[in-house]
Amino acid sequence: MLFFRSEEQVLAWCRAEGAPLRPMVRIDQLWGLAHAWYSTRLQRDARRPQPAEMRAIFAGLGLTGPFWNPEHDPD
Amino acid sequence: MLSDDDVAVKLAVYRHFAATGRRPTPADVAARAGVPADGIAEAYRRLRAQKVLVPEEDGVSIRMAPPFSGVATQHEVVSNGVTYHANCAWDALGIPAALHAPATVRSRCEQSKEPFRLEVGLDGPGRSDWLFHCAVPAFRWWEDIVFT
């Protein structure tokens, strides 16, 4: 889970590493993910999102497709 | 379902990270949680099974208590004068989210190594055209969470 300066840098990194190209996420979307996962993390009743909740969080941020399905292997 | 003692251990780990930016020792956790130090390793095993944290191979050092990293990484976060390390780009934004505090994220472009600096306020980061990319699909994130 890495930062990149641009789409071109993502493509270059995937080529260099032999890594599959995956969906690219904007910083504002990444904040949405970080906030959904961690904003209650220091509280007593904190818990990780369950798969259905994860799908809803992803979809709410416009992140859809097999890559984002926590219960389905897209490969 | 976690026991009350396991919840106390979890909170002790997380609150130590939040206060200091560093991973706690078993003695730190025992003192903060009010549990015996010789039960910490077993509590960590149960918390690992619940995907709450990841201990090192020694069983008593914290490698990851997401979003906090127990070891230095390329993703550095500074908030209220405390320096933290995040496990990944996602967790770098997760630290200000968890702390509910403004922060400065310092990282890099993984390909070009260009430094990345992002100011994060209480409502999130300022506008940025940088990108996040993860090579591992959601289905596999916890198969090897340290690699992910």
Side-chain angles (χ1 to χ4, degrees), chain A residues 23-58:
Chain A
M24 297 184 209
V25 176
R26 302 188 311 269
I27 295 298
D28 63 298
Q29 292 173 310
L30 184 60
W31 171 250
L33 293 173
H35 192 269
W37 248 252
Y38 294 124
S39 63
T40 63
R41 189 54 60 104
L42 298 178
Q43 298 173 12
R44 176 170 294 276
D45 58 353
R47 62 181 183 85
R48 296 180 70 251
Q50 298 303 298
E53 297 168 310
M54 292 170 67
R55 280 193 293 275
I57 292 165
F58 295 147

Side-chain angles (χ1 to χ4, degrees), chain A residues 1-5 7 9 13 22 25 27 31 34 37-39 41-42 46 48 67 70-73 75, chain B residues 10 14-15 51 66 89 91 94 98 100 110-111 124 129-140 142 148:
Chain A
M1 296 186 171
L2 300 162
F3 288 116
F4 291 90
R5 180 67 187 84
E7 182 174 343
Q9 297 294 346
W13 181 82
R22 303 297 194 181
V25 176
I27 295 298
W31 171 250
W37 248 252
Y38 294 124
S39 63
R41 189 54 60 104
L42 298 178
R48 296 180 70 251
F67 177 86
E71 294 180 306
H72 172 69
D73 186 347
D75 297 326
Chain B
K10 177 189 77 167
Y14 274 91
R15 289 175 179 172
K51 301 178 180 176
D91 287 0
H100 294 272
E110 192 62 17
Q111 175 63 17
D129 57 1
W130 282 61
L131 295 168
F132 165 87
H133 180 266
C134 175
V136 181
F139 182 78
R140 292 183 167 160
W142 274 85
T148 297

Side-chain angles (χ1 to χ4, degrees), chain B residues 53-85:
Chain B
L53 52 76
V54 180
E56 303 271 24
E57 286 189 10
D58 67 6
V60 293
S61 302
I62 301 294
R63 175 67 176 79
M64 301 171 63
F68 303 107
S69 171
V71 299
T73 70
Q74 70 203 52
H75 310 288
E76 189 176 89
V77 180
V78 178
S79 179
N80 287 326
V82 179
T83 299
Y84 305 87
H85 286 94

